[in-house]
Amino acid sequence: TVDANGAATARMADLQCTLSLVDETKHDKNKPDHTNNKTKALAKVATGIPFLDHMIEQLHSHAQMRPAVVLAHANTTFAPNTHYATQCSDMDHQTADAHILRLVGTCLGAALRRHLDGASAASARFLCPLDEALAEARLTRDTGAAFELDYEQAPFGRFPAGGRTRVGDLQLELLPLFWNAVTEQLGGRLCIRK
């Protein structure tokens, strides 16, 4: 669900995710609390998976959107850049990563949709030079169409042979769960390739 302030919330099992985005390209320069985009501090991003925190934080530098993400399990709110296992020893680690990726993807897609609804462009393309590849993301929106994800990123790197299976604590094989949840909320077609 998305509230009146644009914060998206989703729940799954004992996990709850709340995510909001501030579009820094549409700020009011006359407000006294306005500061320069380069000096404005990032909002809290705490998904329980440090590399996912980093991925979400990239919205600030690449899209001028300041994300705030808070994930909680039962009565524990995750800390930024800290793995959930150090905070919640009772979580089922076999399914927790998948649940977290789906929840954060669902909230991110809903928050992005709120910002994109009413946009004149039906298609957008983004190129991002990464450490080992050039990634391309292309979003084509049709609010009446079913969602579709076209995802091709593997292998991740050349070392070890066959590529990496993890970046930090993030299981790379689970990334399609995240992008599928984003795409479902956005509607339309999302193509991510390298």
Side-chain angles (χ1 to χ4, degrees):
T1 62
V2 179
D3 68 18
N5 296 320
T9 302
R11 298 175 199 276
M12 184 179 293
D14 288 341
L15 289 167
Q16 176 177 325
C17 178
T18 302
L19 184 147
S20 62
L21 292 172
V22 174
D23 185 347
E24 293 191 342
T25 65
K26 297 180 180 178
H27 60 269
D28 184 350
K29 293 181 182 180
N30 297 319
K31 285 188 178 179
D33 63 339
H34 172 72
T35 58
N36 185 303
N37 286 346
K38 292 180 182 177
T39 60
K40 188 174 285 189
L42 289 175
K44 179 179 178 179
V45 177
T47 66
I49 302 175
F51 192 76
L52 183 58
D53 292 355
H54 167 72
M55 285 174 45
I56 299 298
E57 287 167 348
Q58 294 310 297
L59 287 169
H60 188 254
S61 56
H62 294 293
Q64 290 76 50
M65 301 210 122
R66 189 167 23 100
V69 184
V70 177
L71 218 93
H73 173 259
N75 294 322
T76 303
T77 300
F78 298 154
N81 298 310
T82 305
H83 195 270
Y84 63 84
T86 64
Q87 301 168 77
C88 300
S89 60
D90 63 331
M91 289 182 72
D92 175 8
H93 302 295
Q94 296 298 323
T95 58
D97 286 9
H99 288 326
I100 289 170
L101 287 165
R102 281 191 197 107
L103 280 173
V104 174
T106 296
C107 287
L108 178 61
L112 285 171
R113 183 179 190 126
R114 180 179 173 271
H115 285 279
L116 292 174
D117 281 348
S120 58
S123 180
R125 181 177 176 216
F126 174 74
L127 295 173
C128 182
L130 302 173
D131 293 341
E132 299 171 344
L134 177 67
E136 176 184 9
R138 184 182 306 264
L139 173 64
T140 307
R141 292 193 65 217
D142 178 1
T143 56
F147 73 94
E148 177 186 351
L149 175 65
D150 179 4
Y151 180 85
E152 186 63 46
Q153 289 285 290
F156 293 93
R158 294 180 293 174
F159 303 103
R164 291 182 245 162
T165 58
R166 293 180 173 271
V167 173
D169 290 317
L170 178 64
Q171 297 177 56
L172 297 174
E173 68 183 11
L174 298 177
L175 278 177
L177 297 174
F178 171 80
W179 290 114
N180 196 61
V182 169
T183 307
E184 182 176 8
Q185 292 299 312
L186 280 173
R189 183 174 194 270
L190 180 61
C191 176
I192 301 174
R193 299 203 170 258
K194 70 172 180 177

